[in-house]
Amino acid sequence: MVEIDASDIIAAFDVDAQNCFTPLCPDELPVPGGNTITDALNAQAELAHWRVGSKDAHPVSAIWVASNENPQLTPLSNHANSDTYWNLHAVPGTYGFELLEGLPAVTDYDFFVWKGIEPDLHPYGACYHDLADTRSTGVIEFLRDRNTRTVLVGGLALDFCVKVTVLQLLQAQFRVIVNLSATRSLSEATEQQAITQMREAGAEFINSLDELVFRSQQLMEA
């Protein structure tokens, strides 16, 4: 069980919950079970004061697009903000770019981030546009301005963009709870590595929202 003070200001973060990261788009970056997290994301948003989200938004001219000469997951050198070759994904205007069916329209979120639109940018986390974490997307400032203390995180994929977003939020001094029912990973091996890295940085984990307990500060201190 994970306890939350009932007076805490909570945000729910839907990280890159897009069709391109599901089996619905097998030629992009299909995450096994990625299309099954909608209900869990909507449920955690019901507990939050703010709902924020992000999307990858990549041009067809991106420098990191994989090819026969440079297969997916091979390193990309000599570029400050792109480090790996990936299959082309999340191109605006395509089905893969769209949010999972059943999620709100982007205009219904309280704050929304589009990342990676420049050909030489491929950030993973949703809090910064660059890999060095110096160009803010504004979401940290949005949450701080509203006195947010706790962020419930889900989205795709746990072992890449969700992981980096969680680490960025922790660095910004938020309490971060990863809802495992609202996220999926590309592989079991990288999932365990990601969970270990996030936990060591201070993230907390729940298997479902049933493991959250809301208590008053007085009861928590008793």
Side-chain angles (χ1 to χ4, degrees):
M1 294 293 179
V2 173
E3 292 188 350
I4 297 179
D5 184 348
S7 65
D8 276 1
I9 303 298
I10 301 170
F13 207 141
D14 300 353
V15 179
D16 300 359
Q18 297 169 260
N19 292 326
C20 61
F21 300 120
T22 78
L24 301 174
C25 294
D27 295 328
E28 297 190 44
L29 295 177
V31 176
N35 55 319
T36 65
I37 64 172
T38 300
D39 288 346
L41 289 172
N42 286 336
Q44 72 178 21
E46 290 293 322
L47 302 177
H49 299 81
W50 313 109
R51 188 173 194 173
V52 299
S54 66
K55 271 188 177 186
D56 272 3
H58 297 312
V60 295
S61 59
I63 63 173
W64 45 260
V65 175
S67 64
N68 290 335
E69 295 76 22
N70 298 294
Q72 180 166 240
L73 294 176
T74 56
L76 171 61
S77 303
N78 302 319
H79 291 281
N81 292 300
S82 297
D83 61 4
T84 304
Y85 286 99
W86 295 96
N87 290 346
L88 183 62
H89 59 279
V91 176
T94 66
Y95 177 68
F97 176 69
E98 296 175 9
L99 291 175
L100 300 179
E101 184 177 357
L103 293 181
V106 294
T107 50
D108 291 331
Y109 282 78
D110 296 296
F111 191 90
F112 207 89
V113 172
W114 290 264
K115 58 192 180 75
I117 193 64
E118 301 293 338
D120 61 338
L121 297 183
H122 191 280
Y124 299 99
C127 299
Y128 296 94
H129 289 295
D130 62 327
L131 295 182
D133 292 357
T134 64
R135 304 290 182 182
S136 176
T137 63
V139 68
I140 287 174
E141 291 77 6
F142 174 88
L143 296 174
R144 283 177 175 165
D145 186 61
R146 286 151 182 81
N147 300 311
T148 305
R149 181 174 184 269
T150 299
V151 186
L152 302 174
V153 180
L156 301 168
L158 175 65
D159 37 357
F160 287 93
C161 294
V162 170
K163 178 192 74 173
V164 177
T165 301
V166 166
L167 295 175
Q168 291 171 341
L169 291 168
L170 290 167
Q171 184 65 31
Q173 303 301 309
F174 295 103
R175 181 186 186 187
V176 181
I177 300 172
V178 181
N179 179 8
L180 294 174
S181 67
T183 182
R184 299 290 185 273
S185 298
L186 277 171
S187 76
E188 291 185 7
T190 50
E191 174 180 303
Q192 292 308 311
Q193 294 170 1
I195 289 175
T196 297
Q197 187 176 357
M198 287 184 280
R199 182 172 281 122
E200 289 177 348
E204 300 168 77
F205 292 84
I206 55 173
N207 292 303
S208 72
L209 296 178
D210 292 338
E211 296 180 3
L212 285 181
V213 177
F214 290 85
R215 301 188 187 279
S216 70
Q217 188 64 41
Q218 291 80 5
L219 289 174
M220 293 175 72
E221 293 175 350

